Amino acid sequence: MRVLFIHPNYHSGGAEIAGNWPPAWVAYLTGYLKAGGYTDIHFVDAMTHDLSEDQVREKITTLKPDIVGCTAITPAIYKAERALQIAKEVNPDIVTVLGGIHGTFMYPQVLKEAPWIDAIVRGEGEQVMLNLVTAVDNGNFKADRNCVNGIAYATGDGKVVATPAEPPIEDLDRITPDWGILEWDKYIYIPMNKRVAIPNFARGCPFTCSFCSQWKFWRDYRIRDPKKVVDEIEKLVKEHDVGFFILADEEPTIHRKKFIEFCEELIKRDLGVLWGINTRVTDILRDEKLLPMFRKAGLIHVSLGTEAAAQLKLELFNKETTVAQNKRAIQLLKDNGIVTEAQFIVGLENETAETLEETYRMARDWNPDMANWAMYTPWPFSDLFQELGDKVEVFDFEKYNFVTPIMKPDAMDRGELLDRVMNNYRRFFMNKAFLQYPFTKDKLRRKYLMGCLKAFLKSGFERKFYDLGRVGYWGPQTKKTVNFSFDKDRRIDAATADQLSRVDDNWVTMHGPKIEMKRRKGEENFELAKAAMACGGGTEQLTEEQQAASEARAS
C-alpha cells in the first residue's frame, strides 16, 4: 500500500517572505501511519519546489501510489483540488483524499466543485487517515466508505455524506512525527539563514472566538508533555540541523505551568536553538517576571496580536487591552532582549484613511521592532463570516491570504487601501533600517533584526511582498490600476450555503455545552466584542482549575 502526500503549490506575499516553511502535517501523519504498520510513504512538496502541473503529474506517474493525500488551508484549496484531479487523470483507481481546515468545514462546496475527491478528512487527521488507509488496504473502503469515521464524501448521485466524527487523540504524545520525510536543506529561515521547524506544543484552544476556527477544528484543548516536546526539538536540532523553530500553536502561553516547564527543559538541555511564538499582550504582562527566563530558554521573537481595535473603535474587534498595555508589553519584551512584532488588522468596512494613519502613529509610539498590517480575512467557516452576510462580496478563496483586501471599506476602494498600507510599511521600515536596527546594542537582537530586514528587502525587490507584483502595484501612481483578479464566478449557492450552516452539527465536543447554551438563548453567533477578547489582546486567562483539568484529561 503506497501513500503519496502532496503539499499544493500555492504562493502569496505573506508569511513565506521569511523563508520556506516545512509542512509539519506531513511529518505527523507519516509518523502515525508508520507506527500503524504502513511504511511505503512518499512526499512531494510542490510549493517549496514550485512544481508545475506537468511536474506533479510526472511525480505521480513515477511513484504509482494507491492513495494520494493533499492538505489545504483556505487560499490553497483550488491548488489542492487540482493536484488531486491530476492524480485521478493519471490513474482513476487512485484514492484521493483531502485534509485540512478548509475541507473540514467547507466539504459540501468542495465536493461539489471537485467531485473527483474520494474522501475529505475532517479535523485532526492522524487516526482518521490511518483508518482510511487500512480500509483501502483491506477493501472495505471501496465497498462502503461509511466504514471510516471522520470523513465526508459524495455518493454517485451527488449526495454529500459526513460520517460520525472520530474522537480526538487524547494523548498527543502517542504521535511520533517522522521528520526524516522532509528535505531539510530546503527549509531555511532567511533572518537567521538556518533551518526552521514548526513543532506542535498543544492542539485546540479553550476560548471560542467568533473570527477563529482553531477551537472548532481541534475540538478539545490538549497539551503535550513539555519534556517530550523538547525531546522532539532536540531530535530536530541534532539529526536535522534545525537552528530555529516556531511553535505552531496560536497561543502556547495559554497553559502557563506547562509553558514554564517547557522553557526550563530547554534551558536544562542547552540546545543552542532560538525560537519564536505568537501570543497575547495580557500573557506578557502576566509573565513579566518570567521574561528573563523565557529569553534564556532561547525565545527571541514574539508576535503580538495588538490590533489596537478598541482604541480605533473598529466594532468587530473590541479588544479591551489599552494602548498603555500594548506599549508596556512591547517594552518589556525589548528590555529582555526579545524581538517584538505588532500585528494590526486593517481593511474592515469602517476603515478610513484616518484609522490607517492612526495605526501607523501607534506603531511608531509603541516602537515594536517590526509591524505587520494584515488585511482582514473572514474565514468562510467562522461564525463571523455568517454574521457579515452580504457584506462579503468576494468568494474567490484563493485570495483569502491576509494580503488581499477581501472586504471593501465604505470610505475607500481597495486600491487606495493597499496604497495606504504600503505607505505605512515604507515609513515604518525606513525608520527602522536607517535609525534603529544598525544601532541596536544587543548583538544578537541586532543580527536578528538585520536578517529580518534582509528578508523584507529581498521580497520587496522580487515583487513578492504582499503580492505586489501579481496585482501590479508599483507605488501611489498605480493605486487606481491595481488588479486583484478576483474570480467573480466563484459563489456559494443557496443550497450549499444551507449545508455549510449545518456542517458543525454534532461536531464540537469540549465546547459543546457552551455553544448549545448560547444557541438556546438565541445567540448562535457570539457577541463579537466579547469573543474577540480571547486572542491577541484579550483579558481571558486559563484558570488554575482549567489547567488542572486539561492535565487530568491528558494523563
Side-chain angles (χ1 to χ4, degrees):
M1 178 60 54
R2 174 167 291 181
V3 178
L4 170 62
F5 290 125
I6 299 176
H7 196 68
N9 187 17
Y10 175 80
H11 297 272
S12 72
E16 62 184 290
I17 68 171
N20 293 324
W21 304 101
W25 67 273
V26 177
Y28 287 104
L29 282 179
T30 299
Y32 204 81
L33 288 179
K34 287 186 174 180
Y38 293 96
T39 59
D40 191 1
I41 303 172
H42 300 261
F43 174 51
V44 172
D45 190 345
M47 179 179 178
T48 297
H49 291 282
D50 197 19
L51 299 183
S52 66
E53 290 187 0
D54 286 342
Q55 289 172 310
V56 170
R57 187 188 307 276
E58 182 181 352
K59 295 281 187 182
I60 296 171
T61 302
T62 301
L63 289 169
K64 297 181 172 59
D66 299 290
I67 300 172
V68 173
C70 215
T71 190
I73 57 174
T74 292
I77 184 61
Y78 306 136
K79 299 294 186 184
E81 289 174 356
R82 178 56 184 148
L84 295 177
Q85 186 178 27
I86 291 171
K88 282 293 189 183
E89 291 170 356
V90 170
N91 180 0
D93 291 332
I94 291 175
V95 175
T96 51
V97 184
L98 176 74
I101 192 166
H102 189 89
T104 292
F105 299 111
M106 299 295 288
Y107 65 85
Q109 179 172 1
V110 172
L111 291 170
K112 181 177 180 180
E113 64 193 14
W116 52 84
I117 295 176
D118 293 312
I120 291 178
V121 172
R122 300 190 64 210
E124 189 171 64
E126 286 87 357
Q127 188 62 52
V128 179
M129 193 66 190
L130 176 59
N131 294 344
L132 189 150
V133 172
T134 302
V136 172
D137 190 23
N138 61 29
N140 290 338
F141 183 80
K142 186 175 182 180
D144 181 12
R145 281 176 280 183
N146 281 311
C147 68
V148 181
N149 284 343
I151 67 170
Y153 64 92
T155 61
D157 59 2
K159 179 183 177 183
V160 173
V161 177
T163 64
E166 176 72 23
I169 298 171
E170 291 187 12
D171 180 11
L172 294 179
D173 293 312
R174 285 175 45 207
I175 306 172
T176 303
D178 178 13
W179 293 110
I181 198 166
L182 302 178
E183 298 177 74
W184 283 102
D185 61 323
K186 304 298 181 184
Y187 306 112
I188 304 298
Y189 186 57
I190 294 174
M192 296 191 64
N193 194 32
K194 291 187 176 182
R195 295 182 182 182
V196 60
I198 311 178
N200 192 248
F201 184 60
R203 289 181 178 180
C205 182
F207 307 126
T208 53
C209 298
S210 62
F211 57 83
C212 176
S213 294
Q214 285 295 317
W215 59 274
K216 277 188 181 181
F217 181 81
W218 298 112
R219 295 184 287 164
D220 283 3
Y221 174 63
R222 294 149 292 153
I223 193 161
R224 297 176 59 191
D225 180 342
K227 289 186 178 180
K228 292 184 178 179
V229 179
V230 179
D231 286 343
E232 188 175 314
I233 291 167
E234 183 170 11
K235 187 173 183 179
L236 285 165
V237 171
K238 293 182 177 179
E239 295 185 12
H240 302 293
D241 197 26
V242 167
F244 188 82
F245 69 86
I246 297 174
L247 291 178
D249 311 40
E250 291 289 313
E251 187 193 344
T253 55
I254 286 178
H255 199 303
R256 186 172 186 262
K257 179 183 176 182
K258 293 286 189 181
F259 188 74
I260 291 171
E261 290 178 18
F262 173 71
C263 291
E264 289 174 339
E265 190 66 22
L266 282 171
I267 292 171
K268 178 181 176 181
R269 300 198 200 184
D270 191 22
L271 299 175
V273 62
L274 297 175
W275 49 287
I277 61 171
N278 296 291
T279 193
R280 302 185 300 158
V281 166
T282 46
D283 285 15
I284 298 302
L285 299 177
R286 179 197 68 191
D287 297 334
E288 175 181 350
K289 293 181 180 179
L290 296 172
L291 294 180
M293 189 263 283
F294 293 172
R295 177 64 195 87
K296 187 177 180 181
L299 179 61
I300 187 68
H301 187 153
V302 171
S303 179
L304 293 170
T306 53
E307 282 138 15
Q311 291 71 41
L312 298 181
K313 295 182 175 59
L314 301 181
E315 296 170 359
L316 296 183
F317 295 95
N318 186 19
K319 296 193 177 179
E320 291 193 354
T321 46
T322 66
V323 167
Q325 286 176 321
N326 290 334
K327 187 174 182 178
R328 175 165 171 72
I330 288 168
Q331 191 59 51
L332 285 172
L333 289 167
K334 292 173 69 175
D335 289 346
N336 285 280
I338 299 173
V339 170
T340 60
E341 180 179 0
Q343 301 278 352
F344 295 96
I345 300 295
V346 297
L348 280 80
E349 64 186 83
N350 55 350
E351 193 77 78
T352 65
E354 289 74 24
T355 58
L356 285 168
E357 182 63 23
E358 181 65 14
T359 62
Y360 172 72
R361 288 197 296 265
M362 284 184 171
R364 289 296 306 273
D365 178 50
W366 300 347
N367 198 28
D369 296 302
M370 290 179 281
N372 179 36
W373 284 268
M375 293 291 182
Y376 172 58
T377 304
W379 295 125
F381 34 77
S382 68
D383 292 330
L384 184 55
F385 189 87
Q386 294 185 29
E387 177 75 13
L388 289 169
D390 58 7
K391 294 176 184 176
V392 180
E393 303 172 333
V394 176
F395 296 89
D396 181 357
F397 294 134
E398 191 165 64
K399 306 300 193 302
Y400 279 52
N401 50 24
F402 294 103
V403 300
T404 303
I406 299 302
M407 305 293 290
K408 180 192 175 300
D410 295 334
M412 65 178 75
D413 61 30
R414 290 181 172 90
E416 182 182 358
L417 171 61
L418 177 64
D419 180 59
R420 290 187 179 276
V421 168
M422 289 302 104
N423 188 39
N424 283 358
Y425 273 112
R426 282 191 293 265
R427 291 180 292 169
F428 183 85
F429 281 100
M430 285 284 283
N431 175 270
K432 294 294 182 182
F434 290 104
L435 300 177
Q436 295 195 41
Y437 289 173
F439 307 104
T440 302
K441 293 181 180 180
D442 184 314
K443 291 182 179 179
L444 181 58
R445 285 186 81 251
R446 182 171 67 245
K447 180 180 179 182
Y448 187 89
L449 290 169
M450 294 303 290
C452 290
L453 182 62
K454 174 185 175 182
F456 182 79
L457 292 174
K458 180 177 183 292
S459 67
F461 285 125
E462 293 175 348
R463 309 293 299 148
K464 293 179 180 178
F465 178 71
Y466 234 82
D467 243 2
L468 297 182
R470 194 175 300 176
V471 303
Y473 177 85
W474 292 89
Q477 70 277 11
T478 59
K479 65 182 180 182
K480 297 292 186 183
T481 60
V482 292
N483 183 4
F484 298 105
S485 302
F486 295 128
D487 186 343
K488 296 181 180 179
D489 290 333
R490 294 194 180 275
R491 306 291 303 175
I492 299 177
D493 61 38
T496 304
D498 179 63
Q499 288 179 304
L500 292 173
S501 70
R502 293 181 279 107
V503 294
D504 61 347
D505 288 350
N506 303 314
W507 173 254
V508 176
T509 56
M510 171 182 169
H511 300 285
K514 186 188 303 183
I515 303 303
E516 286 303 313
M517 180 185 71
K518 290 181 178 292
R519 286 179 175 172
R520 284 198 302 270
K521 291 180 179 180
E523 298 171 1
E524 185 165 350
N525 291 308
F526 305 133
E527 296 177 53
L528 301 180
K530 292 181 180 178
M533 286 163 47
C535 295
T539 58
E540 288 190 57
Q541 298 288 344
L542 196 65
T543 66
E544 291 184 7
E545 291 79 9
Q546 288 173 314
Q547 293 185 39
S550 69
E551 291 173 26
R553 284 198 302 271
S555 63

